[in-house]
Amino acid sequence: MKYLQYLAAVLAVAPSVLAAPKPERDGNPYLGVQPYANKGYAAKLEETIKYFNKEKDYLNAARTRSVQKIPTFGWVSNSAAVPDIKGLIDEALAAQKRTRQKQLVQIVVYNLPDRDCSAKASDGEFHLSDDGLNKYKGFIDGYYQFFFHGHATISDPFVTLGVAAQLSTKDAKKLQFSLILEPDSLGNLVTNLNVEKCANAADAYREGTSYAIAKLQQDNIALYLDAAHGGWLGWNDNLAPSAKVFAEVLEGAKAINPSAKVRGLAINVSNYNQYIAPVREDYTEWSNSWDEWHYVNSLTPHLEEAGYPAHFIVDQGRSGKAGIRTEWGQWCNIKNAGFGTRPTADQKVLNNTNVDAIVWVKPGGESDGTSDETAVRFDAMCRSPVAHVPAPEAGDWFNDYVVNLVKNAEPALRPSLF
């Protein structure tokens, strides 16, 4: 069997998982815990393993098994996904009991009304024209019924708790949580108010995000607002306005809940910028934030001046390869991308005390957007010269793409038989 050709190498290494260091805690939620590798993502990767085995590429099949063990975020991007939080909690509790390590469950909350206002690929379920802001508030802290209308109570059948209620259960309190709120939202308030949809959604973005912060306050929950990436908000003229927006949204949360707080910001979510780029790309020439490490350093003093916590987590899930784009604005299913630096909270890797951790936020293999020009959510960037075509709708599994992420991973993935 081909497996025997590398069996010795496989057995010589442990599976690639984040082992958080245990120095004294400083409020960093990634220290002294084990981020949970969710089973939902691992199950999707079975298709990739099956593909590699069919191709007799047993090494990359084993590398994909290692990816199954790497902690990634679960996404709650519509009302139907809210019950999945309980599944994540149940799975993480089982892992915590089995390993005797405190588990950190990582979740993205992504459902603002008229979301993704400057693009089309990820338009969501709530719209301002249909009472979207109030529906979003119910999604955060209310409960709703799928099969009947009228007054409901939590004990009624077919009732689903909102995000805040799911995270307030007895079982949830036994875990730690890291939540990212609303990717691709507040950044639009800094740079894209010339887009009519963004201008119309600006107040709802602010109010909705403040409301989510206020309602998701638990001692075991660390909140990070999305701060786009260095190629978007890292330009000198955007830094102070960005910090001001984040601080204002936090103040809006405190007006609802005076004890409201956040841990910091999440950057490079679903993007391809490297944390520390090996070379400077030509299109970054005029920016001091030419990789995400430099973006942290550029934004930090402005956050401190605005009174917003300058702590960051950095998505490197698909940032393994340099030289795969010709401009920062290319964001959809970039060809030749690879899995990036593994999640870690080790300062020997981070080399920046404002960074809490490198994480994998975007599940590698879920499409950024469809390349079908006839689709309602088609965005031209998904047929750009550097986009992988054909591609399915945003969020759908894109196995051809994850095959390349495995092959192009940097550093290369270690193989695992189990």
Side-chain angles (χ1 to χ4, degrees), residues 347-399:
Q347 278 295 329
K348 291 179 181 178
V349 177
L350 303 177
N351 192 31
N352 194 317
T353 55
N354 290 106
V355 178
D356 286 343
I358 285 173
V359 294
W360 284 15
V361 182
K362 171 78 173 184
E366 294 186 4
S367 176
D368 291 323
T370 180
S371 59
D372 180 359
E373 295 177 86
T374 68
V376 173
R377 299 199 302 173
F378 170 73
D379 190 290
M381 274 297 168
C382 298
R383 289 196 74 91
S384 78
V386 299
H388 189 131
V389 176
E393 285 280 0
D396 288 353
W397 191 247
F398 192 179
N399 199 60

Side-chain angles (χ1 to χ4, degrees), residues 151-167:
H151 180 72
T153 65
I154 291 176
S155 62
D156 285 335
F158 309 121
V159 169
T160 296
L161 303 180
V163 175
Q166 295 278 2
L167 295 173

Side-chain angles (χ1 to χ4, degrees), residues 388-412:
H388 189 131
V389 176
E393 285 280 0
D396 288 353
W397 191 247
F398 192 179
N399 199 60
D400 287 349
Y401 197 80
V402 75
V403 163
N404 287 327
L405 290 175
V406 173
K407 291 180 176 180
N408 295 328
E410 182 61 43

